[in-house]
Amino acid sequence: MLSGCALAATAQAPAPDSPQIEAKAHAMLSKLTLDEKIELIGGTDYMYTFAEPSIGLPRLKMSDASLGVRTWGPTTSYAGGVSLAASWDPELVRREGEALGKDARVRSVNFLLGPGVNIARSPLNGRNFEYLSEDPFLNSALAVAFIEGLQSQGVVATVKHYALNNSEFNRHNSSSDADERTMREIYLPAFEAAVTKGHADAVMNSYNLINGVHATQNEFLNLKVLKGEWGFQGILMSDWNAVYDGVGAANNGLDLEMPNARFMNAETLLPAVKDGSVKESTIDDKVLRILRVTLRYGFLDRPQFDPSNSTYSVADRAIALDAARESLTLLKNDGTLLPLNAAKVKTIAVIGPNAYPAVTGGGGSSTAQAFEPVSIVTGIANQAGPDVHVLYDRALPDLMEFLRRTHWQGGIEMATYPSKDFTGTPEMTKPRSIADYRQEWWGPEDKSPRSIRYTTSFKAEKQGKYLILSAAAGSDSYKVLVDGKQVLAHPRAEGQNARFTTIDLTAGQTVNVVAEYLPGFAGNRFGLGMVLEADLISDEAKQFAAAADVVVIAAGFGPNTESEGQDRTFELPWGQDALIDTITKINPHVIVTLNGAVGSDTRRWLAQVPALLQIYYPGQEGGTAVAEVLFGKHNPEGKLPASFDRSWEEDPSAAFYYPVKGADTSLHVTESGKPPVDYVMPHIKYDDGMMVGYRYWTTTGKHPLYPFGFGLSYTTFSFSKLTAPATAASGSTVAVSFDVTNTGSVAGAEVAQLYVSDPSTKVSRPERELKGFEKVNLAPGETKHVTLNLDARAFSYWDTAAHKWTIDPGKFVIRVGDSSENTPLSAELILK
Ligand code: BGC
């Protein structure tokens, strides 16, 4: 019998420290001057706390993050974040947490800056891959396992990014505006569980504002909820440069400003303490928290360096491989293509930009540089063995190649104006291409104002669809016009992703092309190109596809297209739709593998493709795991951690994702070419409320492309014998049990999912909500009996009037199945 995953009902405040720790922390504090205390509440050298030798306090070392201990050189890069959520396996997550703890200890790291537990509200959020799922219950269960694993190794977990940090655009300035019930039911539970169940000893405030107040100075979130209701005893640190007001942060719960004291420093706080606007006891509380965590972890009594661990670890590689294996999610498998029959496949073509080198993670501060990542090409070659021919081609040019390949008609006129608004006398030049693009986010500040207009034209040699691609970086902004009509615009590049669109041209047609570019920093980082889409795909790729028995197209996002600091597109990166479309017409035996946190647009080619494998960001062993799944050496077992939409427009957050007015207007290129003067703080209205992901789909009765919790296997499972009490007392724990059987002929793992509905509720509630799950490994023909215990929270909603969790007694329905939409078992229960 298995006892599955369900969380305790009430928040259990972490136990206070022992009297010895308390006494020692106070004794240390008492020896410090106010200046010394203030020095301790800001970081130093980008990844350290301050040392105070006079009380024997060393500086403590930090590192990013959940995909690998990345800050200090090459490391094991794991299938982390969203991949762990796709595994639905808390035990795996715990093991990975322990492994990260060991990786941290061998590098003397005291704080790991993870896990990230924000909700995947929209597929566009550039950091979904670092986070977990669209569901607060799943996030809570996995966050707790991760934290327990990590902290068991003597390394502090830093749960981030608190809170409502669900998009990356304009992340320092935009306000996530949500009502309290939405926060309590959707966006806060994973943080609550991390603190009250996982006992995380650090939390990181996010960059954004919440209901108009920056996270780092948000009284409601930091003082009332985190430190008040949840009894958080640890350190609340800022994200890197996420403090905007020293007194505001000091008075509203922030304990540590990272990476250095830009605002919570002596210059601001000494006079504030003097004039009474900040109490010295408030500073003392922050220092005490830092001292208590230091003592709690024994950082004064033992070296953090643990030589019994390895920097390059074979044991870690095995965990990274297990995590990759458990995450890969088979979404489509028509006919008999998968698993591949090794005896029949003689030639396999592996095509696409994500086939080689390995795409282990997305971009930004989580990037973990693996020692020897296994690409899909090498994974397949290793798995297929010496008798199978593996043909690899990238198939698409890289960005710079694309820009340089463009044939502009009659040359390019580049006018560089000595102003930010295309006024004044321009300096004229005639570059050969518009290909100054560089990926750097940051550069020296542009002291002399400049704006650049490129004017050129393009002649279509053939009739067809032409791809127009533009790219810039950092805080550059631009717009592109074809025959006077704006086709592309980037209000503020924030990162380095390319923008693209297609236009249809007839043979011989010439169009005028104008690009207006405002560099954000010194130098020019703009690129623009235009190529017939059909010409993008290399001849080699087409030849390989024609010669192969089976084709694997490795597509999807990567570190440049799905990253911290920028949002991503719903469409696959440029050229990939055309690639899949073209190749499937040459050889229909195609398997598409997609890197990406959650859903993307598959409409153009999905019907033509017999097999689709979602691989998220599978870490350094991803290529091996993909090959094992394709050849049936590992039976796929991942389940979607988010509902996959057909189109961005149908996503429940689509209408509310961007601010109605003021989205990034500070740097918008307006029609006049001038940035607007009416800067408005962008307010993101979370008017989708609790209708996130499957809550929306099941409540509206509409169906997404693939539902939350869905994933195929090479075997089949059945659910039976649901037993639940007919009645129970409100607030009591309710045990629900059922059987899961492997009805097929190969071993496999199924995730049994339990959803609760509240049809007699007095308030409106989502149609169903995940309240329990269990991963079950089964041999062919084997049955396991699963019991899930549902606590009071499983039946509760946040009562906005009473400001507390409430159960409406009456009828509840319990459903069990293998996805949010397929729940063959159900039972009614009356709570009295
Ligand atoms: C990120 C954090 C990260 C920090 C330190 C910030 O840009 O938002 O998640 O931990 O940098 O690298």
Side-chain angles (χ1 to χ4, degrees), residues 12-91:
Q12 316 261 314
D17 286 301
S18 67
Q20 289 83 347
I21 287 185
E22 211 44 41
K24 178 130 194 223
H26 279 274
M28 289 170 85
L29 177 78
S30 68
K31 297 198 180 101
L32 297 174
T33 63
L34 180 58
D35 284 83
E36 286 167 342
K37 290 186 229 176
I38 291 173
E39 202 170 46
L40 288 181
I41 62 171
T44 182
D45 290 343
Y46 207 67
M47 280 285 161
Y48 291 90
T49 60
F50 244 90
E52 186 43 70
S54 69
I55 54 167
L57 182 70
R59 64 183 197 162
L60 303 175
K61 189 175 183 181
M62 302 184 176
S63 173
D64 286 307
S66 333
L67 314 184
V69 179
R70 77 117 192 161
T71 312
W72 309 100
T75 188
T76 304
S77 122
Y78 298 90
V82 72
S83 299
L84 290 180
S87 80
W88 292 64
D89 184 353
E91 275 322 300

Side-chain angles (χ1 to χ4, degrees), residues 483-823:
D483 280 346
K485 190 170 157 259
Q486 185 171 306
V487 292
L488 292 168
H490 213 327
R492 185 158 103 140
E494 289 195 313
Q496 63 252 31
N497 64 3
R499 298 256 152 157
F500 58 95
T501 188
T502 55
I503 52 168
D504 292 314
L505 297 178
T506 54
Q509 188 180 348
T510 301
V511 287
N512 295 321
V513 178
V514 173
E516 295 192 339
Y517 168 58
L518 291 179
F521 291 102
N524 184 355
R525 295 179 294 196
F526 185 62
L528 181 69
M530 201 165 159
V531 170
L532 179 66
E533 208 185 57
D535 286 351
L536 275 179
I537 320 305
S538 70
D539 290 340
E540 287 77 7
K542 294 177 194 163
Q543 189 183 41
F544 290 172
D549 301 312
V550 62
V551 184
V552 176
I553 303 180
F557 298 85
N560 293 336
T561 46
E562 185 155 26
S563 167
E564 177 181 343
Q566 60 188 11
D567 275 352
R568 73 141 152 101
T569 52
F570 187 68
E571 283 169 276
L572 290 178
W574 58 273
Q576 296 192 10
D577 278 344
L579 166 67
I580 302 171
D581 199 18
T582 307
I583 297 296
T584 47
K585 284 179 181 140
I586 297 169
N587 186 336
H589 306 296
V590 165
I591 302 137
V592 173
T593 66
L594 284 185
N595 285 109
V598 293
S600 50
D601 196 343
T602 54
R603 281 173 294 180
R604 191 160 151 196
W605 45 262
L606 187 58
Q608 293 150 236
V609 163
L612 174 62
L613 185 68
Q614 178 72 23
I615 66 171
Y616 314 96
Y617 290 97
Q620 64 176 43
E621 306 300 323
T624 302
V626 167
E628 286 181 352
V629 164
L630 297 185
F631 283 93
K633 199 171 167 223
H634 183 83
N635 193 350
E637 58 183 277
K639 302 284 178 180
L640 285 184
S643 312
F644 275 27
D645 308 315
R646 269 171 220 88
S647 66
W648 156 242
E649 291 71 28
E650 73 174 9
D651 185 87
S653 75
F656 314 105
Y657 189 70
Y658 292 110
V660 181
K661 183 167 190 283
D664 221 356
T665 49
S666 57
L667 287 150
H668 224 101
V669 183
T670 60
E671 283 308 308
S672 70
K674 287 186 185 155
V677 281
D678 59 327
Y679 174 76
V680 179
M681 183 198 290
H683 282 272
I684 305 167
K685 300 274 179 212
Y686 280 46
D687 285 346
D688 42 336
M690 293 171 294
M691 291 297 137
V692 174
Y694 75 87
R695 285 171 166 74
Y696 164 84
W697 293 106
T698 57
T699 304
T700 56
K702 297 182 194 164
H703 304 283
L705 176 62
Y706 296 115
F708 173 77
F710 171 77
L712 297 169
S713 165
Y714 296 147
T715 187
T716 49
F717 300 95
S718 73
F719 294 87
S720 59
K721 297 188 187 153
L722 180 67
T723 51
T727 60
S730 279
S732 62
T733 294
V734 175
V736 176
S737 60
F738 51 88
D739 284 353
V740 189
T741 304
N742 181 344
T743 49
S745 52
V746 287
E750 178 60 295
V751 177
Q753 302 161 39
L754 186 155
Y755 296 86
V756 173
S757 305
D758 185 0
S760 61
T761 174
K762 288 193 236 139
V763 298
S764 81
R765 296 190 67 177
E767 201 277 331
R768 56 184 67 179
E769 296 187 285
L770 182 78
K771 296 296 171 186
F773 65 89
E774 175 74 24
K775 186 167 212 173
V776 195
N777 285 288
L778 294 166
E782 189 185 357
T783 295
K784 277 184 185 156
H785 189 62
V786 176
T787 299
L788 297 171
N789 291 310
L790 302 177
D791 57 28
R793 183 67 75 84
F795 303 99
S796 308
Y797 63 88
W798 183 260
D799 185 332
T800 41
H803 296 288
K804 64 178 179 61
W805 293 99
T806 302
I807 297 176
D808 279 347
K811 184 160 110 180
F812 287 83
V813 182
I814 287 159
R815 294 189 170 83
V816 174
D818 62 6
S819 80
S820 52
E821 299 221 324
N822 184 42
T823 47

Side-chain angles (χ1 to χ4, degrees), residues 46-47 62-65 70-71 112-114 116 127 130-131 158 160-161 165 168 171-172 204-207 237-241 258-259 364-366 441 564-565:
Y46 207 67
M47 280 285 161
M62 302 184 176
S63 173
D64 286 307
R70 77 117 192 161
T71 312
L112 190 78
L113 303 173
R127 292 187 91 170
E130 292 184 57
Y131 304 146
T158 311
K160 67 189 188 185
H161 302 95
N165 184 189
E168 281 298 286
R171 60 181 177 165
H172 289 268
M204 186 190 289
N205 267 145
S206 52
Y207 288 114
M237 71 175 78
S238 70
D239 200 340
W240 270 228
N241 298 318
M258 292 302 294
S365 63
S366 65
W441 283 26
E564 177 181 343

